[in-house]
Amino acid sequence: MSKSYFDETHCAIGHPKSTFMQWMLTIDHKRIGLMYAAVMFTFFFVAVATAFVMRLELFAPGAQFIDGDTFNQAFTLHGVIMIFLFIIPGVPAVLGNIVMPLMIGAKDVSFPRLNWFTFWLYILGALVALASLFTDAGFADTGWTFYAPYSLNTGTNVIFTLVAAFILGMASILTGLNFLVTIHRLRAPGMTFWKMPLFVWGIYATAWIQLLATPVVGITLILAIMEKYFGIGIFDPAKGGDPVLFEHLFWIYSHPAVYLMILPAFGIMSEIIPTFSRRTIFGYRSIALSSASIAGVGYLVWGHHLYTSGMADTAKVIFSFLTFFVAIPTGVKFYDWVATMYKGKIILSTPMLWALGTIITFTIGGLTGVTIAMIGVDIHLQDTYYTVAHFHYAMLGGVVFLFFAGLHYWFPLVTGKMYNEKQAKIAFYLQFVGFNLLWFPMFIAGYYGMPRRYFDYLPEFQIYHQFSFFGAVIFITGLTYMFVVFFKGWTKGKPSGTNPWNATTLEWHMPSSPPPLENHSKVPYVDFEPYEYHHGEPVVKFDYETMKRID
Amino acid sequence: MDVNNTLSGFNSMAATFAADVDHAFWLNFWISIVLGMTVIIPMFYFAWKYRESNVKNEDISNNSHNTPLEIAWTLIPTALMMVLFYYGYTSMKTLRTMPAASESITIKVEGSKWKWKYEYPANKAGHVHKITSVYDKKIGGVKRGLYVPKGQKVILEMTSPINDVIHAYFVPAFRMKEDVIPGRTTKQWFEADKVGEYDVECAEYCGTAHSYMYSKIVVMERADYDKWFESSAKSPFEDASAPALSKGQSLYEDNGCAGCHSIDTDAILVGPSLKGIGAKHDAAYLKDAILTPDKVVPEGFYPGVMPPFALPEADVAELVKYMQSAK
C-alpha cells in the first residue's frame, strides 16, 4: 500500500514527529485545503445558527426573545462570517488549493510556504473578528457593509471587525498571488491556456480579482479606522467628510468580490456537467472567455449598489448600462452547460443533482439581479427583502450549492472513500426544497415593501416570514444530514478507486487514492483537451507509474 | 387621526409614476420567465431524454460548437437586456425629474434617529408648520404624518443632521425611495392622486430602532388640506381648541423624544423610561443627557445610540423642567 498525503507531509519548519504538529506546519496544498475546509465549515455553521436565531425572532411581529440591538449584532455577525470568513475565501481556499495543482499536473502551488502563512493569517483574521464577541462593548452592529457614519458613531467594537477584514483581505491577496503564479508557471508541459480545465480558468479569473480589487477595500478600511480614531475628516460629515464616498470605495471592492465568489463555483459546474454527461463540453472557449469578461466588466458596475444613495442620475444610467453586460456572459455559460447535456448520457449522481439544482436556483438568482439592475425598479426594491432574496439565491443557491456539488464530486479524490449515494441525494432534496421555501417568499415580501435589516415588521408580512421559517428548518435539517453523510462516508465508506466518476481531467489520474504527497508520479505531457470522451469513455489513459499515455 | 400599523394602500397606484415602475417590473418579470424557461425546460428535457438507461454509448455526440445557435443565445438576450435597460431608464426618468418649484410645494424633511420631521413653507398668516412624526409603540402606529393635497406635486428636500447617520425615505405605495444623508440634501418628488394614508419606512439601516422609523403620508382633498394649512393646528385631525401643551411638553413631542423614552410608564422603548427621573437626577445631569448623551449612559444601555441634541439653552431648560415634572 503506497503512502498518501495523510501519511506523510512536508513542513514549513523542521520535521516534527507528532501528527498534530505535522498538520499545523504542513505546506502540502491538499492538507492546507482540508484545514481551510474544517475551519470554514465550523464558521459556516455558526453563521447558519445566527441566521436561524434571526428567523426565530422574526417568526412573529414584535420582540420575541432578543432585543433590537442583539438582532443588529446578529445580522452583522452572520454577514461578516459568511462573507469574509466563508464565501470569499471558500471555493479557492478549499477546492482551489486541493484540486487546482492536481488539475494542472503540478507538485504543489508555486509558494507552498506562503500558502501555509496565508492559512495562518486567515486564522488570525478570524480570531480578531470573533474576539469582539467577548468584549464589553460587544460585536459590531453595523452590518457587514460598515457604512459610515454609522460605523464611526456606534459604541460597539467595530475596530475589531475592521482590522479583521483587513487581515482577511491580505490573506485573500496572497492566495490570489500564489494561484496566479502557479497557473502561469506550473502547468504541465503542453498544457496551454486553452487546454486548462475550466475550474482552473475560474480560479485564474478570481485570482486576478483577489489581487487587484482587494487592496481597495484594505485602503478603505484603513481610512475608516483613521477616521474613527484620528478624525481625519474623510467619511464623517461632522468632520467635513462624505459618507457616500465610503459607499463607493466599499463597493469598488465588494462588487467584484461577488464575481470572485461565483467564478470558481461556475468552474465546478463546468467540471461536473461534462463528466456526468459523458461527453465533451459545449463551447469551451466561450465559457473560459466569459469568466474573464465577467471578471473584467465586474470592476465597472459597483455603482448599481448606489441607485438610491444620492448619486448623480447620469452616473446611475452608465452603471446600469454596464451592469446588463455582466448578465450576458453569465447567460451564455448557462446555455453552454445545458447544450453540453444534449445527446450526452446523463448520470444523475449526487454532484450532478447539485449542479442541475443550481441551474434552477442560480437562474432565479441571476434574473432577479437583472430586475434590480433596472434603475427605476431598483429604486423601489433597493434595501428590501427582494434584494436579500436575490443575493441569497445567487450566493447560497449559486456559490454554496456549487461548493457542495464540488465537495461531493471531489470527496473520493480527497478521502479515497465514497459516501452513501442514496443518503446524499436525500440531503440534496431536503436542502433544495428548504432553500426555495426559505427564500422565495422574500421576493414577494420585498416587492410589497418589507425592508431588510428589520428587527420587527408590519403584521401583513408575517405569512412570508413564517414560510421562510419552515423553509429554514427543512434546509438546516438537510444541511446537517449532508455533513453526517460525509462523516459516515469518510469513516466507513467503501474505497472509491482513483477515478470513480470516469472523469477526464488530470486530478483523476493519480497513482493511488487518496493521492500521494507529491501528486502525480511524473509530470505528464498534456497534448489533449480537458474533456475528451469517445462513446462515453475517457479518451486519454495513463500508465500511472510513468505518466505516459497508453491509449 | 386614525392610526394603524398596516402597510396602507400598496396596490392603489397612489402616485402618478407608480404605474411606470410597475410596468417596468412586470415587463422584466415576463422577460425573465421566458429567458429562465429557455434554460430550465431544455435542462429537464435533456436530463429525461438522455437519461442513463435511455442512451447507448455509441449514440453519445461530442458536438462542441454550433455557431448560429451560439450567436442566437448571445444576441437575443442582449437585445432583451437593452429593452430592460431602456425601461429601467425611463421609469427612473419620471421618478427623478423634479417638477418646477413654482408648481410644487417644497417640504423640508429631516430624518434622524428615529423620527421624521417635516417643515412646510409659511402659510398666509406667516405660520410655519413643523411636524414631528414618530412611531408610537403603545398605539402601534404613527402619530402625525406628512399632509399633502391630492393632485399636487410635492418636492421633498431631505437631509439628516451632520452628527446623525444615513436613513432612507421609502414609500412602498408610491414606489419611491432615496437616501437621507447627513451633510447633504437629496430630493425626491411625488404627486399623489388618491386620497388615503400611505406608510413611510426607513430603508437604510440606522441602528437600534431602525425598524420603528415609520411615518405616514396622508393625502387629503384640496379643501381639507387648505383649511388645515392656513390654520395653526398641529395636524388636520387635532382639535385646535384643545388646551395648549406646556412649552416643555411640546418640545418633548417636537424633538421626537417620545419615540425612545416613555415618560408616563416604566416601559423601555429604546432608551430608559423617564418616569420619575426628577427624583433620581438633578437638572445638570439631565442637561448633559440631552446635549452629550454618550457621557452619561445609564447601566444596561449603550453609548452611540442617542445622538446629541444641539438645542438652544432656553429650550433645554424647558425640557428639563418638563422631565422633572414627570412623576
Side-chain angles (χ1 to χ4, degrees), chain A residues 209 252 255-256 259 263 289-304 318-330:
Chain A
I209 305 176
I252 286 174
H255 196 75
Y259 303 119
L263 289 176
L289 288 178
S290 70
S291 290
S293 56
I294 291 170
V297 181
Y299 278 99
L300 306 174
V301 301
W302 77 85
H304 66 217
I318 296 167
F319 280 121
S320 169
F321 184 74
L322 289 168
T323 302
F324 285 98
F325 282 94
V326 181
I328 292 154
T330 312

Side-chain angles (χ1 to χ4, degrees), chain B residues 74-86:
Chain B
T74 309
L75 289 188
I76 295 171
T78 306
L80 290 173
M81 288 300 123
M82 288 303 102
V83 170
L84 294 179
F85 164 72
Y86 176 78

Side-chain angles (χ1 to χ4, degrees), chain B residues 119-123 126-130:
Chain B
E119 186 179 327
Y120 286 71
N123 64 14
H127 178 76
V128 175
H129 286 285
K130 291 185 182 175

Side-chain angles (χ1 to χ4, degrees), chain B residues 19 26 34 42 46 61 82 101 138 147 161 164 173 188 209 229 242 246 248 268 306 315 323:
Chain B
W26 289 106
V34 170
F46 294 163
S61 148
M82 288 303 102
K138 262 177 295 176
Y147 307 105
D164 209 271
Q188 49 185 350
F229 184 70
S246 76
I268 292 171
M306 177 172 160
D315 286 0
M323 284 155 67

Side-chain angles (χ1 to χ4, degrees), chain A residues 56-67:
Chain A
L56 264 176
E57 169 58 44
L58 291 170
F59 188 73
Q64 316 306 317
F65 61 96
I66 56 175
D67 62 17

